[in-house]
Amino acid sequence: MSFIYNKKDAKCMWCKRTRNPHKDFNETISTKIFISHKKREIELCFFCYENELDFCNNNNISFKRILDDRFDTLNLLKLV
């Protein structure tokens, strides 16, 4: 799985980070675009990806489906 580093317009759709939070790195956050079950492009940082993956594995839920569920929730709250 390859995350893109130093992408100028990198922004995690979940946490909204754009910059690497580590104080020793002055760079954009590394992100990857995932395709959801409904064919949406969801850009996540590595941290949010790991959280979603853990949640899916612990609850036996499809990763692609949880992306849609979370997106729909955030959209309902007008956060995306």
Side-chain angles (χ1 to χ4, degrees):
M1 172 132 346
S2 295
F3 279 76
I4 299 170
Y5 289 81
N6 296 318
K7 181 181 169 196
K8 286 185 178 187
D9 61 345
K11 182 176 184 179
C12 179
M13 292 176 73
W14 280 196
C15 70
K16 308 296 186 218
R17 286 185 185 139
T18 58
R19 304 294 301 167
N20 189 327
H22 195 281
K23 63 180 180 171
D24 292 337
F25 295 98
N26 184 22
E27 62 189 13
T28 60
I29 197 159
S30 59
T31 61
K32 178 170 176 52
I33 295 176
F34 296 92
I35 306 300
S36 74
H37 184 71
K38 293 180 181 177
K39 307 296 184 217
R40 293 178 175 132
E41 291 185 356
I42 310 286
E43 186 172 12
L44 298 179
C45 68
F46 187 73
F47 179 77
C48 289
Y49 162 73
E50 287 285 315
N51 284 340
E52 292 297 345
L53 195 60
D54 286 344
F55 180 82
C56 290
N57 290 338
N58 291 334
N59 294 287
N60 200 24
I61 299 173
S62 162
F63 179 73
K64 288 185 175 192
R65 288 203 186 266
I66 200 66
L67 291 177
D68 284 320
D69 290 347
R70 300 259 193 233
F71 182 87
D72 290 340
T73 301
L74 291 171
N75 193 35
L76 183 66
L77 298 170
K78 299 187 188 305
L79 297 174
V80 286

